[in-house]
Amino acid sequence: MATAARRTQGASASAKSAAAKSAAGKSPSKGRAAKGAATNAPTLSKEEELHAYREMLLIRRFEEKAGQMYGMGLIGGFCHLYIGQEAVVVGMQMASNDGDQVITGYRDHGHMLVTGMDPKGVLAELTGRRGGYSKGKGGSMHMFSKEKQFFGGHGIVGAQVPLGTGLAFANRYKGDDAVSLVYFGDGAANQGQVYESFNMAALWKLPVVYVIENNRYAMGTSVTRSAAQSDFSKRGISFGIPGEQVDGMDIRAVREAGARAVEHARSGEGPYILEMLTYRYRGHSMSDPAKYRTKDEVSRMREEHDPIEQVRRRLIGEFGVPEDELKGIDGQIRKIVNEAADFATSDPEPDVSELFTDILH
Amino acid sequence: MPIDVLMPALSPTMEQGKLAKWLKKEGDTVKSGDILAEIETDKATMEVEAVDEGVLAKILVAEDTDNVAVNTPIAIIAEEGEDVSAAASAGPSAAKVEPAPAPAQDGAPAQMAAEGMAAEPAGSAPTGGTEPVARPAAPAVMRPEGVYDATQEIPAGTELVTMTVREALRDAMAEEMRRDETVFVMGEEVAEYQGAYKVTQGLLQEFGARRVIDTPITEHGFAGLGVGAAFAGLRPIVEFMTFNFAMQAIDQIINSAAKTLYMSGGQLGAPMVFRGPNGAASRVAAQHSHDYAAWYSNVPGLKVVMPYTAADAKGLLKSAIRDPNPVIFLENEILYGQSFPVPKLDDFTVPIGKAKIHREGTDCTIVSFGIGMTYALKAAHELEGEGISCEVVDLRTIRPMDSETVVASVMKTGRCVCVEEGFPQSGVSAEIATRVQADAFDYLDAPVARVTGKDVPMPYAANLEKLALPSVAEVVEAVKAVCYR
């Protein structure tokens, strides 16, 4: 696990420290601590750490609830949990602006929550109810919010990559300054359409950041068994796309690298690749017993690298936040999630007339 | 032995072209690889290279000559050591040389044109419409209530201009791009090359590289990119050089474009057109000849359009570009060069999902679409001479399918023959037959018959390819069979 951002290929040819300073200077993110630039070690302010803690905890508790409800038979089909990977989306969201688009694959609940989508609507979609974001017709893998610029939620591995590149194409066509954040995993990174997209994005200098969430396993196949080049940050080299490996368990590293990547894309320099070294604690989906890895490996990640625990320790140790205050936040999050669960179990199923709606405009 | 230089074909479907310019003159020495002349079709300009060495003894077809049929001797080369003047006076060795007939000049083609059939042959058909003719007032025909009347699409007295399907498609795109800033066209060779089949000719010059975009050869990628752009509010026209290549992209077409509106509970859709030539061209073998009408027509969330005439191509493409849904627009390379009357209107559209009675009749309904119409219309013409009156229904849209028009026609004639180039199993004809038997069972005097492409991959050999495709004779035979004649 890398501990700091490591630039593997720089089209801009700037030294790492210069790039970091530049990112700090132009960063669109809010209230970046001044000492961060000075020491070149990414840090967050107390408010940012609290924000990150809240956001990551919401995803964690939401996913735990979803897992529980799946076990009770309230959620059907496929359900892919994001537990362990929370720092990736939260850090990226802190590095991006309102109006920037987000698109991802099927492990998508965290991405939706972090764009501000209502947990009630997301969970009700998981339970297939009419108040779900897709009126119960999409399910766990297929939710969208035009309002929050969240474009799914795609069940075909890698398909979101050309789609997200198309969002970036539209940004350039319209002349707005939005950036498209395209998330995909280490498994999707081996799909051909990813490289078709890299080529066009680099050729046309499209404002897109490719966030490769490397959680080490494409379902049951480890990276070492599936990738000839397992350093995914290098996958854009032949297209001249800069990339870096980031400790995806450390929200500070994610936010810092994310700001640099987003700025690169927004300034017209073209695409940027961030490989987030992360880990999912649960199986690929609810039906996966995850026998392809040891219990030790999982518990070591949880104990030593948990993204939420890292923030919690800093809030208490470095910022002197009383444990009671954090417990208060925990309570608020549990309340939000419980209310979502109540809604998702009491909301009626879609009206049968919905079977034949929304096929064509 | 003097050598004839023949008019070359630029493509498998080219039948004639213009000899634009001679770059060598009589008496010039030529060697292999020298450029002898330039020839043009409405698709492209190409150079004629010398294959043989010698002296250009005689030019048989002067420059700036239109409608020179492929394989016509255009010059004679005297080989080294031969008497140039003897070679020149000997004339071409081919038995007879005659120019290709100009479109619709003798009686038969004129009659066929009057029946709404394409002016043939393809190639350098007149561009832009030389002789405008006014459309006669729609004949008063009794139609069952509620059945669509396509004759009302063109107001009486509208001026008609002759143009090719290719030009009609280009004009449709240009008009819609002028009308809506969010419309753009992307695909392989659509911009600087002016279109692999010249359908996007002139668009780059008018609209610029921002809206007319050459893509790398990356169908899956650019189809998906187009869908993403449509999600974000643009209206892409994605051109596939042929729909055979769209198989690389079919996941994005089906899983992303067609299903997202439903999967998002109506929040997000893909307003876009996937278009390009579909089906068999001529001698391009199995991987370049597939007809995908039945495939796409199987998918909820798509509209599937397959026009025959230039007017329908124009009116339907304009409607497709404006449609808020993903539309599969299936063109045909052989039809590109065929000419039809097109109404001269500022904004001529044809509604998607409505069939057209192309020809009225009383004894048997023939249902077809796209290039299948060429067999249907020729068969109807032939059968008329044998006293069988066929009503030819052009579906124009495969999905949503206008069953009402088909069923109403079958209720009138009591018989139905379906014609398509696609494969028989699970084909569009199978769908039509199911609907007809369900909705007009009591009116049928014979089982529904179908004439389709054969159940084989498209062969390359000319004789086998001909056998693999439907024929006019097969349609005639099928109609006679259902009429018990």
Side-chain angles (χ1 to χ4, degrees):
Chain A
M1 183 73 38
T3 52
R6 181 160 68 81
R7 178 171 279 252
T8 57
Q9 199 268 337
S12 60
S14 55
K16 183 179 165 187
S17 60
K21 272 181 201 155
S22 150
K26 294 187 222 163
S27 171
S29 59
K30 312 99 193 165
R32 188 187 160 81
K35 65 178 178 178
T39 62
N40 198 28
T43 61
L44 300 179
S45 68
K46 177 184 165 188
E47 288 68 33
E48 287 170 331
E49 295 272 23
L50 277 169
H51 171 80
Y53 181 73
R54 216 176 269 118
E55 291 287 299
M56 290 195 288
L57 201 63
L58 174 63
I59 296 171
R60 175 77 51 99
R61 297 286 171 260
F62 181 96
E63 293 291 65
E64 286 167 353
K65 180 63 79 179
Q68 186 189 22
M69 289 168 70
Y70 191 94
M72 293 159 71
L74 290 162
I75 296 170
F78 296 123
C79 185
H80 310 87
L81 302 181
Y82 198 63
I83 296 174
Q85 301 181 211
E86 296 90 344
V88 176
V89 278
V90 174
M92 285 306 297
Q93 201 65 12
M94 289 170 78
S96 59
N97 286 358
D98 284 349
D100 289 346
Q101 300 114 328
V102 172
I103 189 167
T104 186
Y106 45 79
R107 196 177 305 285
D108 55 358
H109 310 157
H111 304 69
M112 292 187 267
L113 295 174
V114 86
T115 60
M117 287 168 70
D118 185 348
K120 285 182 183 165
V122 179
L123 202 50
E125 189 61 39
L126 266 62
T127 55
R129 307 303 172 102
R130 66 177 58 173
Y133 266 94
S134 300
K135 303 183 196 166
K137 301 202 284 194
S140 163
M141 299 183 285
H142 308 300
M143 271 175 268
F144 306 82
S145 170
K146 242 182 175 172
E147 184 202 348
K148 302 293 184 189
Q149 292 290 290
F150 178 73
F151 288 86
H154 296 273
I156 306 299
V157 176
Q160 73 271 28
V161 183
L163 294 170
T165 308
L167 298 172
F169 175 91
N171 295 340
R172 207 200 51 173
Y173 188 94
K174 293 175 189 168
D176 61 29
D177 74 341
V179 172
S180 170
L181 304 181
V182 181
Y183 293 84
F184 54 103
D186 49 283
N190 294 323
Q191 287 276 27
Q193 58 184 320
V194 169
Y195 301 93
E196 298 190 24
S197 303
F198 283 1
N199 185 41
M200 287 184 286
L203 187 66
W204 299 330
K205 289 199 180 305
L206 300 181
V208 53
V209 176
Y210 296 111
V211 185
I212 303 176
E213 299 193 60
N214 179 0
N215 65 18
R216 301 197 194 179
Y217 297 92
M219 199 170 144
T221 305
S222 72
V223 162
T224 52
R225 293 199 298 125
S226 59
Q229 171 51 274
S230 58
D231 181 344
F232 292 96
S233 69
K234 291 181 177 166
R235 293 287 185 98
I237 286 178
S238 64
F239 307 97
I241 304 176
E244 39 183 297
Q245 274 188 328
V246 182
D247 179 355
M249 306 301 273
D250 182 349
I251 186 96
R252 301 167 303 177
V254 173
R255 210 285 299 268
E256 196 232 14
R260 183 161 52 246
V262 167
E263 164 61 19
H264 178 92
R266 203 185 309 283
S267 67
E269 296 288 308
Y272 203 98
I273 293 170
L274 294 175
E275 179 191 0
M276 298 293 178
L277 297 162
T278 184
Y279 200 79
R280 68 169 149 77
Y281 297 171
R282 299 293 186 91
H284 161 72
S285 67
M286 286 303 297
S287 52
D288 168 25
K291 288 187 172 162
Y292 41 82
R293 60 189 188 187
T294 63
K295 278 193 176 144
D296 275 0
E297 178 183 304
V298 181
S299 55
R300 198 169 56 249
M301 288 303 296
R302 296 190 80 129
E303 282 158 23
E304 296 171 16
H305 298 282
D306 186 73
I308 299 174
E309 199 49 41
Q310 288 185 44
V311 174
R312 184 185 165 82
R313 276 202 294 265
R314 284 198 298 274
L315 281 168
I316 295 168
E318 291 176 29
F319 294 104
V321 176
E323 283 211 39
D324 278 357
E325 189 177 332
L326 296 182
K327 272 188 186 156
I329 293 173
D330 295 2
Q332 288 163 15
I333 298 291
R334 279 185 199 283
K335 186 161 174 285
I336 291 168
V337 170
N338 287 334
E339 281 172 4
D342 288 345
F343 177 72
T345 45
S346 60
D347 192 43
E349 289 187 313
D351 191 89
V352 290
S353 66
E354 286 291 343
L355 179 62
F356 292 109
T357 61
D358 306 321
I359 297 159
L360 293 171
H361 271 296
Chain B
M1 185 82 185
I3 297 153
D4 290 346
V5 179
L6 304 179
M7 181 73 174
L10 301 182
S11 74
T13 54
M14 174 179 161
E15 293 172 18
Q16 55 173 297
K18 176 182 180 177
L19 204 165
K21 193 177 176 188
W22 280 104
L23 299 171
K24 294 276 184 189
K25 56 183 189 302
E26 290 178 1
D28 283 358
T29 302
V30 293
K31 54 184 193 299
S32 178
D34 281 355
I35 310 300
L36 297 177
E38 281 178 7
I39 58 173
E40 285 175 18
T41 68
D42 50 347
K43 276 202 282 197
T45 301
M46 291 276 277
E47 292 165 336
V48 182
E49 281 186 14
V51 181
D52 302 287
E53 314 221 326
V55 174
L56 186 60
K58 189 166 179 62
I59 287 174
L60 300 169
V61 177
E63 64 182 24
D64 210 22
T65 301
D66 284 319
N67 303 329
V68 181
V70 166
N71 285 336
T72 304
I74 56 174
I76 297 170
I77 290 176
E79 285 187 291
E80 201 178 341
E82 282 184 337
D83 181 341
V84 172
S85 59
S89 58
S93 56
K96 55 174 187 171
V97 180
E98 49 191 46
Q105 273 181 349
D106 61 3
Q111 192 187 344
M112 285 158 73
E115 291 170 16
M117 296 163 74
E120 291 181 281
S124 60
T127 54
T130 45
E131 287 179 48
V133 278
R135 184 189 177 282
V141 177
M142 291 295 291
R143 280 174 206 287
E145 195 134 343
V147 172
Y148 181 73
D149 180 5
T151 61
Q152 301 309 310
E153 286 167 3
I154 304 171
T158 302
E159 186 186 328
L160 300 174
V161 291
T162 302
M163 66 169 69
T164 61
V165 171
R166 172 182 291 115
E167 291 161 343
L169 292 167
R170 190 261 327 274
D171 287 358
M173 285 188 280
E175 287 177 20
E176 293 306 299
M177 288 176 79
R178 281 174 211 132
R179 185 177 167 272
D180 183 352
E181 163 73 16
T182 65
V183 177
F184 68 95
V185 58
M186 71 187 315
E188 292 154 10
E189 311 290 6
V190 298
E192 296 197 5
Y193 194 88
Q194 305 285 303
Y197 295 102
K198 294 290 174 280
V199 176
T200 52
Q201 192 152 33
L203 295 184
L204 174 67
Q205 284 66 29
E206 179 172 353
F207 299 103
R210 175 172 162 266
R211 299 180 66 192
V212 185
I213 299 145
D214 277 329
T215 64
I217 300 174
T218 188
E219 283 86 6
H220 198 181
F222 71 71
L225 188 149
V227 178
F231 284 171
L234 302 183
R235 288 188 174 254
I237 304 169
V238 172
E239 175 176 312
F240 293 112
M241 197 180 287
T242 105
F243 262 93
N244 296 280
F245 306 159
M247 283 236 267
Q248 296 264 3
I250 202 163
D251 170 63
Q252 291 288 1
I253 298 172
I254 309 291
N255 273 315
S256 300
K259 296 179 183 171
T260 296
L261 186 68
Y262 197 82
M263 294 194 304
S264 69
Q267 273 193 79
L268 192 70
M272 63 192 303
V273 177
F274 297 98
R275 50 154 291 271
N278 167 67
S282 178
R283 308 285 313 279
V284 291
Q287 290 182 339
H288 288 72
S289 299
H290 206 121
D291 176 356
Y292 291 93
W295 284 42
Y296 292 110
S297 92
N298 190 243
V299 181
L302 291 179
K303 292 186 178 183
V304 184
V305 176
M306 191 159 164
Y308 164 55
T309 68
D312 286 342
K314 182 176 183 186
L316 282 163
L317 183 53
K318 282 165 66 76
S319 294
I321 293 166
R322 291 180 201 181
D323 200 282
N325 301 290
V327 180
I328 305 292
F329 198 90
L330 302 170
E331 302 160 8
N332 185 282
E333 189 193 331
I334 292 166
L335 292 179
Y336 278 153
Q338 297 197 6
S339 297
F340 296 84
V342 174
K344 193 177 178 183
L345 294 168
D346 288 342
D347 190 17
F348 171 65
T349 59
V350 171
I352 292 174
K354 298 296 177 190
K356 178 168 77 179
I357 310 276
H358 194 100
R359 175 191 169 114
E360 306 266 353
T362 53
D363 299 333
C364 179
T365 299
I366 305 177
V367 187
S368 191
F369 49 91
I371 196 166
M373 285 292 292
T374 58
Y375 308 105
L377 290 173
K378 282 176 183 163
H381 180 72
E382 200 175 313
L383 286 158
E384 189 177 33
E386 301 185 38
I388 299 175
S389 162
C390 291
E391 177 146 301
V392 181
V393 179
D394 181 355
L395 274 186
R396 304 193 290 184
T397 300
I398 314 298
R399 182 189 186 93
M401 191 179 282
D402 181 2
S403 304
E404 287 81 6
T405 296
V406 175
V407 167
S409 176
V410 174
M411 284 178 172
K412 188 175 81 172
T413 63
R415 295 169 167 91
C416 183
V417 172
C418 309
V419 181
E420 66 175 313
E421 282 196 350
F423 296 126
Q425 181 159 339
S426 310
V428 178
S429 296
E431 177 66 24
I432 297 166
T434 299
R435 293 185 185 209
V436 166
Q437 68 84 17
D439 296 342
F441 187 73
D442 291 339
Y443 294 80
L444 282 172
D445 293 326
V448 177
R450 55 182 173 165
V451 177
T452 67
K454 307 304 179 293
D455 203 14
V456 297
M458 184 62 74
Y460 168 71
N463 64 328
L464 297 181
E465 182 187 50
K466 206 171 169 199
L467 287 171
L469 288 167
S471 68
V472 176
E474 287 170 346
V475 180
V476 167
E477 193 185 341
V479 170
K480 285 182 178 172
V482 298
C483 292
Y484 306 115
R485 292 273 293 262

